[in-house]
Amino acid sequence: MKIFQKMNASIPREVRQTIRTSRWAGPTAGMAPGFVQANLVILPQDWAFDFLLFCQRNPRPCPLLEVTEPGDPEPRELAKGADLRTDLPLYRVYREGRLSEESTDIRGMWRDDLVSFLIGCSFTFESALMEESIPVRHVEMGVNVPMYVTTVPCRPAGRLRGPMVMSMRPIPAAMVARAVTATALFPAVHGAPLHVGEPKTIGIGDLSRPDYGDPVEIREGEVPVFWGCGVTPQAILMASGPPFAITHAPGHMFVSDKRNGEYAVF
Amino acid sequence: MKIFQKMNASIPREVRQTIRTSRWAGPTAGMAPGFVQANLVILPQDWAFDFLLFCQRNPRPCPLLEVTEPGDPEPRELAKGADLRTDLPLYRVYREGRLSEESTDIRGMWRDDLVSFLIGCSFTFESALMEESIPVRHVEMGVNVPMYVTTVPCRPAGRLRGPMVMSMRPIPAAMVARAVTATALFPAVHGAPLHVGEPKTIGIGDLSRPDYGDPVEIREGEVPVFWGCGVTPQAILMASGPPFAITHAPGHMFVSDKRNGEYAVF
């Protein structure tokens, strides 16, 4: 992959340090370009097997990059020395499946039985799309990607079940095939689209009203293309109601030391 | 992928039925060509999280295709109606990390807490190699692929640790790059090679003495190419010693209803 030139390997660490020490609480889009960012889900060990199995059964919305040992806040594979309790700008805490609070630091609620799951994020494959001059509308518009709760069910696992959330990018009809192959090369970060065109068949009545994120313009000759979305775990937590869970706040990702290119098939 | 034409979808079911009813105990190489075969590991629920995490951390030797619910012997994703207790020709039972017996039927030792793991098998990517006219020496010679216990450690997970086992295929130097890209398209069944040439650097002193399988001829101008191997879990079980485990006997795989092409990235 050509996307990944001349990047200073210390940049992600500096980003995490700034977030940690200044308690900066903004979104991470565009930070440490070229490096992998990740969604975060933290669950008690009692629920960890169900969630690990859920990810194995639903790799498109939930492509797992790393799972920590119980109680260990350091993601040793993605970023040695990082601390998942302080290094993301903003967290969400769920109790019994309901969003109970947001916080910039979760050290005070850390427990020895918490297992952290880091899940691939579409920022990686969007770099690959842009590298091929395929337009990414929400980036052009400077807004969040539109995300939709679909009628496609995830495959359940143990106590976890719920609908798949998909993100949508409008792609010029002549570039759809290229967008498929470019993203298929990144199965570790959602991979190829799950649905191309015909939003009604996955239960989306009005593209201008996404369930998460912002609406984007769809121009003449463009087709709505849908990818598995890392917000799916949050929909699953709300549908399944584990007693306690922590996630990143949407758009406020974990910035890792891995380069995007390391997750390409080739 | 072109590999997969005109295959009767009922063939795998007929193969499983024959194995089940006749208690046929031979190897499955060449049976139901074009359909995915799988390695099997069965563990008590108490060890299932460790093993699931082990597979997540070591996807090249242990690419997971399906994990069943505890106590359920039916692999609902890979083959509806199949029974993992009777539908493989030969099983191995491990107690405290030692091979204790082989059996053609494990219904008598089935328990409600057993979780089954189905792991991708190199038969799938060998079809892709042959489709590109890349020679597969052990198939030409009619023997088992040579497998080596390397000095490359797997990433540990919980109580599970041990060495990576790799299979070796000699590839003409001019075809090595093609062999890499052809197999990289199948990350769900071991994917790209882990090591090309220089066997000494992964602790292999003598290619003519594999730890499992049979030695194969390496001709002038050929390079030994190493892939992650589905026998790795058996080496891990022997190194880590869970109280009880069942696997397939090497070469005696589970024949699924999935076609090889379903596991290609594209």
Side-chain angles (χ1 to χ4, degrees), chain A residues 2-54:
Chain A
K2 297 162 292 180
I3 335 176
F4 318 108
Q5 302 132 345
K6 282 189 286 176
M7 297 178 303
N8 186 333
S10 68
I11 290 174
R13 199 171 61 241
E14 287 161 21
V15 167
R16 292 193 301 269
Q17 206 152 25
T18 303
I19 292 171
R20 185 189 316 155
T21 54
S22 72
R23 294 289 74 222
W24 183 79
T28 55
M31 299 179 85
F35 290 91
V36 168
Q37 299 197 17
N39 300 283
L40 175 67
V41 171
I42 301 175
L43 282 166
Q45 193 167 9
D46 170 43
W47 283 73
F49 180 72
D50 284 5
F51 190 73
L52 189 50
L53 191 54
F54 184 86

Side-chain angles (χ1 to χ4, degrees), chain A residues 179-220:
Chain A
V180 169
T181 54
T183 55
L185 288 176
F186 288 89
V189 286
H190 302 304
L194 290 167
H195 200 83
V196 178
E198 301 300 324
K200 280 199 181 64
T201 60
I202 51 174
I204 303 173
D206 184 356
L207 285 172
S208 71
R209 295 176 51 179
D211 296 292
Y212 303 91
D214 302 303
V216 297
E217 184 195 357
I218 304 181
R219 300 189 187 145
E220 187 74 25

Side-chain angles (χ1 to χ4, degrees), chain B residues 140-159:
Chain B
E140 293 170 359
M141 295 174 65
V143 298
N144 270 332
V145 69
M147 295 164 269
Y148 305 86
V149 177
T150 70
T151 50
V152 179
C154 289
R155 290 187 62 207
R159 294 158 287 183

Side-chain angles (χ1 to χ4, degrees), chain B residues 7-264:
Chain B
M7 297 178 302
N8 185 331
S10 69
I11 290 174
R13 198 170 61 241
E14 286 161 21
V15 167
R16 294 193 301 269
Q17 205 152 24
T18 304
I19 292 171
R20 185 189 317 157
T21 55
S22 71
R23 295 290 73 222
W24 183 78
T28 54
M31 300 179 84
F35 289 92
V36 169
Q37 298 197 17
N39 300 284
L40 174 67
V41 171
I42 302 176
L43 281 166
Q45 193 168 9
D46 170 43
W47 284 72
F49 180 72
D50 285 5
F51 190 73
L52 189 50
L53 192 53
F54 185 86
C55 293
Q56 195 275 327
R57 291 186 180 164
N58 298 280
R60 290 305 181 77
C62 305
L64 263 185
L65 302 181
E66 180 168 12
V67 184
T68 62
E69 296 293 317
D72 186 356
E74 180 184 352
R76 295 164 193 275
E77 179 70 9
L78 289 186
K80 266 197 201 312
D83 189 331
L84 292 172
R85 303 170 300 180
T86 53
D87 290 2
L88 285 80
L90 195 61
Y91 300 85
R92 285 188 165 179
V93 183
Y94 291 83
R95 298 179 200 276
E96 309 294 344
R98 285 162 184 242
L99 176 61
S100 77
E101 68 220 67
E102 289 195 331
S103 174
T104 61
D105 183 335
I106 55 167
R107 278 177 297 181
M109 55 188 90
W110 192 251
R111 300 167 10 183
D112 280 349
D113 69 335
L114 293 180
V115 179
S116 300
F117 298 83
L118 290 151
I119 295 170
C121 157
S122 56
F123 292 171
T124 305
F125 75 68
E126 288 176 354
S127 298
L129 291 173
M130 291 184 279
E131 182 70 18
E132 309 217 16
S133 299
I134 296 169
V136 180
R137 184 64 31 76
H138 67 277
V139 174
E140 293 170 359
M141 295 174 65
V143 298
N144 270 332
V145 69
M147 295 164 269
Y148 305 86
V149 177
T150 70
T151 50
V152 179
C154 289
R155 290 187 62 207
R159 294 158 287 183
L160 296 172
R161 62 202 61 244
M164 201 176 293
V165 180
M166 299 189 198
S167 61
M168 189 279 290
R169 292 161 191 80
I171 307 285
M175 289 180 168
V176 169
R178 195 86 189 140
V180 169
T181 53
T183 56
L185 288 176
F186 287 90
V189 286
H190 302 305
L194 289 167
H195 201 83
V196 179
E198 302 300 324
K200 281 199 181 63
T201 59
I202 49 173
I204 303 172
D206 184 355
L207 284 172
S208 71
R209 295 175 53 181
D211 296 291
Y212 303 91
D214 302 304
V216 297
E217 185 193 356
I218 304 182
R219 299 189 188 144
E220 187 72 25
E222 290 181 339
V223 176
V225 179
F226 298 88
W227 278 266
C229 176
V231 167
T232 302
Q234 302 196 24
I236 297 305
L237 294 178
M238 297 179 84
S240 310
F244 183 70
I246 305 171
T247 71
H248 68 291
H252 300 67
M253 321 300 283
F254 176 71
V255 177
S256 84
D257 288 345
K258 294 279 181 183
R259 289 162 200 265
N260 286 331
E262 297 183 59
Y263 288 96

Side-chain angles (χ1 to χ4, degrees), chain A residues 72-137:
Chain A
D72 186 356
E74 180 184 350
R76 294 163 195 276
E77 179 71 10
L78 288 187
K80 265 198 202 315
D83 188 331
L84 292 172
R85 302 170 301 180
T86 53
D87 290 2
L88 286 81
L90 195 60
Y91 301 85
R92 284 188 166 179
V93 183
Y94 292 83
R95 300 180 199 276
E96 310 294 344
R98 286 164 183 239
L99 176 62
S100 76
E101 68 221 65
E102 289 195 329
S103 174
T104 61
D105 182 336
I106 55 167
R107 279 177 298 182
M109 56 187 89
W110 192 252
R111 301 168 8 183
D112 280 349
D113 69 335
L114 293 180
V115 179
S116 299
F117 298 81
L118 290 151
I119 294 170
C121 156
S122 57
F123 291 171
T124 303
F125 77 67
E126 288 177 353
S127 298
L129 291 172
M130 290 185 279
E131 182 70 18
E132 309 216 16
S133 299
I134 297 168
V136 180
R137 183 64 32 77

Side-chain angles (χ1 to χ4, degrees), chain A residues 215-230:
Chain A
V216 297
E217 184 195 357
I218 304 181
R219 300 189 187 145
E220 187 74 25
E222 291 181 339
V223 176
V225 178
F226 298 87
W227 279 264
C229 177

